[in-house]
Amino acid sequence: MSKKTIGLIAAGATVLGAAYGTKKLQEGKVQADEKKVDEEIKARYYGDKQVYFIGGGIGSLSGAAYLIRDANFAGKNIHIIEGMDILGGSNDGSGTMKDGFLCRGGRMLNEETYENFWELFASIPSLEMPNQSVTEEILNFDHLHPTHAQARLIDKDRTILDAHSMGFDNNDRALMTKLLAMPEDKLDNKTIEEWFGPHFFETNFWFMWQTTFAFQKWSSLFEFRRYMNRMMLEFSRIDTLEGVTRTRFNQYESLILPLKDYLDKHQVDFSINKTVTDIDFKDGEGITAETLHFSDGSTIDLNAGDVVMMTNACMTDSTTEGDFNTPAPVPEERPISGELWYKIAQKKANLGNPEPFFAHESETNWQSFTVTNRGDELLKRIERFTGNIPGSGALMTFKDSNWLMSIVVAAQPHFKAQDANTTIFWGYGLYPDRIGDYVKKPMKECTGEEILYELICHLKWEEDWEDIKSDVVNVIPCYMPYIDAQFQPRAMSDRPQVVPEGSTNFAMISQFVEIPKDMVFTEEYSVRAARIAVYTLFDINKKIIPVTPHNKDPKVLAKATRTMFR
């Protein structure tokens, strides 16, 4: 080996060593800084300071956990106020063996992109697995039950389509590329169908992306662009949905119950069936909450230093449920969280504008249904057709269905109360206002029996309908008028900041606040919002895990480019 070569190797080793040393120094400094922050926080004295969370969804529960864990705040001085008779917000799961089970929806988790979600739940003990966190429980379960959908798209002839090809033409590719490069501030109030041509909406990609994330043609182009950037990893595997991370049970039992148990052990105060109807703010400049008003006429006057964190909107507000013999009724109640947002937005600047989200029910609604059966014969039929055992598949979309119906069969049991002789699966239709292909009425006017019959006809099993029906415990339709509200076309200013400019003691936590680069309709969005709210209002000088820039990774970009030409 020449002296020159040896010199180059030595020089390279010196550079690498210096870089490694610099990295270690930086890591050491961060750890030292965080230790100082922890010591300062442990020395704080909050006195009688109280914190009020309006809404009992995952955002509020996460905010309470951050207060206890990262702000050293006493749980007994944290109050979570929920207008319904159960906590969890849109993370639901309920029912019995006798009456059937219900999931209004299924929140998709993702291992690579739910940064703050996994970090938080790593500190929440599992209720099912001793000495494991909720994060460990979920990821261990998911890794043992990997997803690889073999029947992602099904046509009107019951043919399982080859969905590996995205189906793009050159115009679709050019418009997609242009959109990803377009600055966000150029997309106010624009819809997806205003950007793409008719061919795009007939591609395999659109049917898969639309039904995975519940987009509509008239949804916000801005939100679609954020999804494409944030979920760039999923673009190349959208046909198999290998990136879906599953909980062991429904999300109420897998996420909400262990989180509530953690808060209960810290003496957090819960008020159920108690609705906040208005908030008074201090006169003058700035935003300082002073009084909470309740539907029973009572009030709470806030003291100096008290803090309010509000769920300014909830996508599952005003939902209604039917059963095997009864359609889900037309909603009579206005959205309780949206109505509160309307009121306070009139009082102070910088609190956003709910009108684009809650004034267009015909654009924001869809309907789900949960089927409970005795035995597993129907699930076995689906397994033989798809090649997926329960829990290994993902959404099966009937792309020619007038309702654009999809179903998913989770690993069984999906509820802790299920016995070995009971099975369930979930489905939804993105177009509940349309007439069915076999049941000649709109989905939202159908009984559970009629919805299941429509599905059975798409599977060409109608000759066996009476046998299939004899095993049914219940089919519960669930109509959700605002489930897609967070995707509505809007201006950038319509969603408020988590902590609005000028706020001294007030924050908003929901899918309807603005968090740069992140995407709504996810657990991560609510958890990230909660962390931002707590860290900002309580002056916690610690890092909030940023959005991982997978869309900047050369390998991910190369794979995405190849996928566009599949």
Side-chain angles (χ1 to χ4, degrees), residues 50-55 59-60 63-64 67 79 276 279-281 286-290 292 302 305-313 337 340-341 344 348-352 495-515 526-539 544:
Q50 309 290 313
V51 177
Y52 299 91
F53 287 94
I54 302 173
S60 291
L67 276 173
H79 311 274
V276 178
I279 303 174
D280 292 337
F281 294 93
I287 299 171
T288 302
E290 282 193 321
L292 305 182
L302 306 180
D306 289 352
V307 169
V308 175
M309 302 191 200
M310 162 189 160
T311 301
N312 59 307
S337 57
L340 179 58
W341 186 15
I344 68 164
K348 290 286 183 178
N350 302 323
L351 296 184
R495 285 203 310 226
Q497 300 295 314
V498 175
V499 179
E501 184 178 349
S503 172
T504 63
N505 71 342
F506 181 75
M508 288 181 273
I509 301 170
S510 74
Q511 301 293 306
F512 297 83
V513 295
E514 177 55 31
I515 303 176
S526 293
V527 173
R528 185 182 292 271
R531 198 171 196 179
I532 292 170
V534 170
Y535 281 29
T536 303
L537 291 177
F538 283 79
D539 192 26
I544 295 172

Side-chain angles (χ1 to χ4, degrees), residues 461-476:
W461 296 334
E462 54 265 49
E463 290 185 2
D464 300 323
W465 171 241
E466 291 302 323
D467 287 340
I468 291 170
K469 187 170 70 169
S470 67
D471 289 335
V472 175
V473 175
N474 204 351
V475 180
I476 302 178

Side-chain angles (χ1 to χ4, degrees), residues 310-474:
M310 162 189 160
T311 301
N312 59 307
C314 176
M315 66 182 75
T316 50
D317 269 358
S318 305
T319 59
T320 62
E321 300 161 14
D323 58 30
F324 192 73
N325 300 307
T326 312
V330 175
E332 295 181 357
E333 295 181 358
R334 290 286 298 161
I336 57 174
S337 57
E339 289 295 280
L340 179 58
W341 186 15
Y342 270 109
K343 287 182 181 178
I344 68 164
Q346 307 304 312
K347 298 183 177 186
K348 290 286 183 178
N350 302 323
L351 296 184
N353 173 26
E355 194 279 335
F357 309 105
F358 288 96
H360 308 278
E361 183 185 331
S362 64
E363 297 177 359
T364 60
N365 71 100
W366 45 261
Q367 181 152 318
S368 69
F369 59 98
T370 311
V371 181
T372 304
N373 274 6
R374 287 177 291 271
D376 63 353
E377 179 53 34
L378 182 52
L379 262 59
K380 286 291 186 184
R381 280 177 175 261
I382 295 172
E383 179 182 330
R384 290 192 292 269
F385 172 63
T386 63
N388 283 116
I389 64 172
S392 73
L395 282 172
M396 299 163 48
T397 293
F398 299 87
K399 66 179 289 288
D400 299 317
S401 160
N402 274 353
W403 296 345
L404 193 53
M405 181 186 283
S406 300
I407 63 169
V408 61
V409 181
Q412 306 293 305
H414 196 54
F415 289 82
K416 294 180 184 181
Q418 264 182 265
D419 66 15
N421 194 45
T422 303
T423 53
I424 74 111
F425 69 92
W426 176 86
Y428 84 114
L430 265 177
Y431 301 132
D433 296 316
R434 295 182 181 177
I435 304 295
D437 297 282
Y438 302 94
V439 179
K440 298 301 182 180
K441 58 202 296 190
M443 184 183 188
K444 67 182 183 181
E445 296 178 10
C446 287
T447 65
E449 178 181 8
E450 291 168 330
I451 291 171
L452 181 59
Y453 181 73
E454 178 84 4
L455 170 65
I456 295 305
C457 289
H458 278 290
L459 287 164
K460 309 299 183 187
W461 296 334
E462 54 265 49
E463 290 185 2
D464 300 323
W465 171 241
E466 291 302 323
D467 287 340
I468 291 170
K469 187 170 70 169
S470 67
D471 289 335
V472 175
V473 175
N474 204 351

Side-chain angles (χ1 to χ4, degrees), residues 226-348:
R226 278 209 182 167
Y227 261 75
M228 288 301 304
N229 276 308
R230 184 79 156 105
M231 301 298 282
M232 189 74 75
L233 276 170
E234 300 313 308
F235 180 49
S236 62
R237 55 196 190 193
I238 191 67
D239 55 320
T240 62
L241 289 175
E242 292 173 50
V244 173
T245 303
R246 301 176 184 277
T247 55
R248 182 180 178 188
F249 298 109
N250 61 83
Q251 279 129 16
Y252 177 75
E253 292 178 317
S254 291
L255 300 177
I256 300 303
L257 288 185
L259 189 48
K260 183 179 185 296
D261 182 70
Y262 172 87
L263 299 178
D264 280 336
K265 287 174 178 173
H266 286 86
Q267 299 180 294
V268 171
D269 170 52
F270 293 94
S271 296
I272 307 298
N273 279 325
K274 195 171 181 67
T275 303
V276 178
T277 57
D278 204 356
I279 303 174
D280 292 337
F281 294 93
K282 186 177 180 179
D283 292 337
E285 297 296 320
I287 299 171
T288 302
E290 282 193 321
T291 304
L292 305 182
H293 294 264
F294 297 90
S295 57
D296 62 5
S298 63
T299 60
I300 292 178
D301 293 322
L302 306 180
N303 296 315
D306 289 352
V307 169
V308 175
M309 302 191 200
M310 162 189 160
T311 301
N312 59 307
C314 176
M315 66 182 75
T316 50
D317 269 358
S318 305
T319 59
T320 62
E321 300 161 14
D323 58 30
F324 192 73
N325 300 307
T326 312
V330 175
E332 295 181 357
E333 295 181 358
R334 290 286 298 161
I336 57 174
S337 57
E339 289 295 280
L340 179 58
W341 186 15
Y342 270 109
K343 287 182 181 178
I344 68 164
Q346 307 304 312
K347 298 183 177 186
K348 290 286 183 178

